[in-house]
Amino acid sequence: MAEKLDKREDAISGMFNEIAPKYDFINHLLSFNIDVRWRKKVVGFLNSCKRENGEAGRFKVIDIACGTGDSSIALYKSGMAVTGADISQGMLEVAIQKNAGLSPSLAPLPEYINASAESLPFGEGTFDAAAICFGIRNFNDRDSSLGEIYRVIKKGGHIAILEFAEPENRLFRLLYSLYLKHMLPGIGGFVSNRRSAYRYLAKSIEDFPKYEKFCNELSEAGFNEVKYESLTGGIALLYTGKKS
């Protein structure tokens, strides 16, 4: 029987609390810093949405599963008003510390709250857009979470989700699978002393629905114009959609 991942909120938050102090270093190391370029894709997409809206007011984005704030900061530097939400207080503390190095002249500094995607403490239609960067595969109840995200986005608002996938090229997929199952847990575990966390991360990538399958989940949640863009040969995908 295949191993069932424990995605209860206390289990996930506890795991990320443990690896939070070294998360950024390991994340950039294991992705060869390509994750920075992937996040720029999210910023570029939401900037195009901002121009499409043509609103005089601030473009408000909720960055869900924001972790240590890298995606929130990238959005903030593009002039967006960002609220980051995460269930791991340890990750949020790292994100909050990063505000000290930011200039408030671009936009209000990112705000961070300890909250689950399944129960967001905001009214209907609060945000112009939502972003999730490499976090949705950890959600215990994706259906409820996507419903909540849909609720807090304005009519005409957008969603952008970055998530890992598996390359479609067979040889590349084989090499990537070896990396996920062996190198990632080995290196991540050695640096963080939490090998189980990186075994979990590898398994969560393997288990997550990809390509059209996840697009279907977004459509079922109510989003329209759903599509995906393959990044770096399919190692990551950018999913986008719109609330009509």
Side-chain angles (χ1 to χ4, degrees):
M1 182 180 293
E3 177 188 359
K4 183 175 176 59
L5 295 175
D6 185 357
K7 294 188 179 182
R8 291 171 302 149
E9 186 172 321
D10 59 345
I12 296 297
S13 61
M15 178 182 71
F16 280 103
N17 284 340
E18 289 181 346
I19 65 175
K22 295 183 179 179
Y23 180 82
D24 283 344
F25 172 75
I26 299 171
N27 190 40
H28 296 315
L29 174 68
L30 294 176
S31 71
F32 305 102
N33 226 36
I34 300 173
D35 61 303
V36 175
R37 190 165 72 226
W38 293 335
R39 286 185 176 85
K40 287 181 180 178
K41 285 283 188 177
V42 172
V43 174
F45 171 75
L46 293 182
N47 263 329
S48 69
C49 298
K50 182 179 179 181
R51 289 192 296 269
E52 178 186 309
N53 278 16
E55 295 180 357
R58 291 210 178 273
F59 193 78
K60 296 175 65 178
V61 181
I62 181 165
D63 182 21
I64 301 168
C66 66
T68 59
D70 279 358
S71 49
S72 297
I73 291 169
L75 292 164
Y76 154 80
K77 287 182 175 179
S78 190
M80 302 180 198
V82 186
T83 299
D86 202 283
I87 61 172
S88 167
Q89 186 60 39
M91 298 287 271
L92 289 174
E93 287 170 4
V94 176
I96 291 167
Q97 290 171 8
K98 292 179 180 178
N99 274 1
L102 301 177
S103 167
S105 61
L106 296 173
L109 290 176
E111 297 180 349
Y112 295 104
I113 61 165
N114 187 220
S116 166
E118 294 179 29
S119 182
L120 295 169
F122 302 102
E124 185 172 345
T126 299
F127 298 95
D128 297 289
I132 312 172
C133 296
F134 307 113
I136 197 165
R137 71 180 185 281
N138 299 317
F139 291 2
N140 192 34
D141 188 338
R142 279 199 306 275
D143 290 343
S144 294
S145 297
L146 288 173
E148 266 290 88
I149 295 164
Y150 187 89
R151 181 184 66 80
V152 301
I153 297 175
K154 295 177 182 177
K155 185 177 181 180
H158 293 79
I159 188 169
I161 299 176
L162 263 180
E163 194 48 85
F164 290 111
E166 292 172 331
E168 292 183 298
N169 178 277
R170 292 177 63 183
L171 177 59
F172 194 17
R173 185 167 64 246
L174 174 62
L175 294 173
Y176 183 61
S177 178
L178 292 172
Y179 171 77
L180 274 185
K181 293 177 180 178
H182 302 288
M183 290 186 66
L184 188 147
I187 298 172
F190 176 77
V191 176
S192 69
N193 200 30
R194 293 291 185 274
R195 187 181 179 91
S196 60
Y198 287 89
R199 283 199 302 266
Y200 164 87
L201 293 175
K203 187 71 167 68
S204 67
I205 293 170
E206 183 181 338
D207 286 0
F208 187 76
K210 302 163 183 70
Y211 296 93
E212 289 82 3
K213 287 184 178 179
F214 185 59
C215 285
N216 290 339
E217 289 192 12
L218 289 172
S219 296
E220 289 169 4
F223 291 101
N224 297 309
E225 300 180 23
V226 175
K227 57 187 177 181
Y228 68 82
E229 179 183 353
S230 178
L231 307 175
T232 317
I235 291 177
L237 301 178
L238 171 60
Y239 301 92
T240 56
K242 182 176 182 179
K243 176 178 178 177
S244 298

